[in-house]
Amino acid sequence: MTKVSSKPIRFVALIPHRDALFGIEAYKRQLFEAGVIGAYSFPAVAPLGAFSRPLSLEELKTLAVFLREASRNKDKPGTFIPGEPRVLRYASGTTVLRLFGPELAGPAISLDAPGVWFPSTVLGAGLLPDFAENLPPPPPCFFRAAMLANMVLRPLKSGAEGYSFEWKFGAKVWLPKFRG
């Protein structure tokens, strides 16, 4: 983790329904107990991309329909199934984040918006230091119900540099119900 600027970062985030978060919240506790100080530095959401402006409500609705269609996997139709743990590295200016968590499989997103869509989607279990080894594996978990929202991540002036953030979500848009 390198220096973090005071400039807020804007993400579009996939937010699992709260009933699906018990496993990932228990995993955050396990990571913290294992010495990962960034286990509570990022919410249990999956950032899909970083943007210079919030997406409009219409853009979020379009993306919600796209993601619901993309969730039609053959094993559990309509379900998002977190897989192997991955690190999503995001850098902008002096800000470098290493988000750790289970990867969500899915197609590349190509909605026309001023920003960058991430090549992979990681359900946030925490932020890692530059070197982290022997981490416990994430628990198996899956979810159907989810919503999208614009998210702003702001570094706090107090606390551990690179690990102390506050976040806020904009209006939330539910993904359409799955109709098998």
Side-chain angles (χ1 to χ4, degrees):
M1 187 93 42
T2 60
K3 287 198 164 223
V4 175
S5 70
S6 60
K7 185 178 175 185
I9 304 167
R10 293 188 179 279
F11 294 110
V12 170
L14 176 67
I15 306 168
H17 187 276
R18 69 176 181 260
D19 290 348
L21 294 178
F22 294 119
I24 200 76
E25 291 299 335
Y27 185 53
K28 284 177 171 278
R29 283 190 299 278
Q30 188 180 9
L31 287 173
F32 190 74
E33 290 168 1
V36 177
I37 62 170
Y40 291 105
S41 297
F42 201 88
V45 301
L48 303 174
F51 300 90
S52 58
R53 64 159 176 84
L55 294 188
S56 70
L57 201 54
E58 286 306 311
E59 288 171 316
L60 287 173
K61 288 178 181 178
T62 300
L63 183 55
V65 170
F66 173 83
L67 289 173
R68 176 51 68 208
E69 288 301 313
S71 73
R72 294 180 178 274
N73 58 64
K74 62 180 178 183
D75 295 332
K76 290 188 179 207
T79 305
F80 293 91
I81 304 171
E84 294 297 315
R86 297 280 183 257
V87 174
L88 174 66
R89 186 178 183 279
Y90 172 72
S92 175
T94 58
T95 302
V96 177
L97 300 173
R98 294 184 69 234
L99 179 63
F100 174 77
E103 182 176 37
L104 296 175
I109 301 169
S110 60
L111 182 69
D112 187 27
V116 59
W117 295 103
F118 296 142
S120 64
T121 305
V122 173
L123 181 57
L127 296 176
L128 294 180
D130 287 333
F131 299 98
E133 298 177 347
N134 301 321
L135 295 174
C141 60
F142 60 90
F143 57 95
R144 272 194 180 176
M147 56 190 125
L148 290 172
N150 291 298
M151 174 184 154
V152 177
L153 183 73
R154 285 188 183 90
L156 296 174
K157 292 180 180 170
S158 61
E161 186 176 0
Y163 295 102
S164 297
F165 296 94
E166 67 178 351
W167 50 84
K168 186 179 258 188
F169 295 98
K172 296 174 176 85
V173 173
W174 284 99
L175 272 61
K177 287 187 179 185
F178 177 76
R179 306 214 190 282

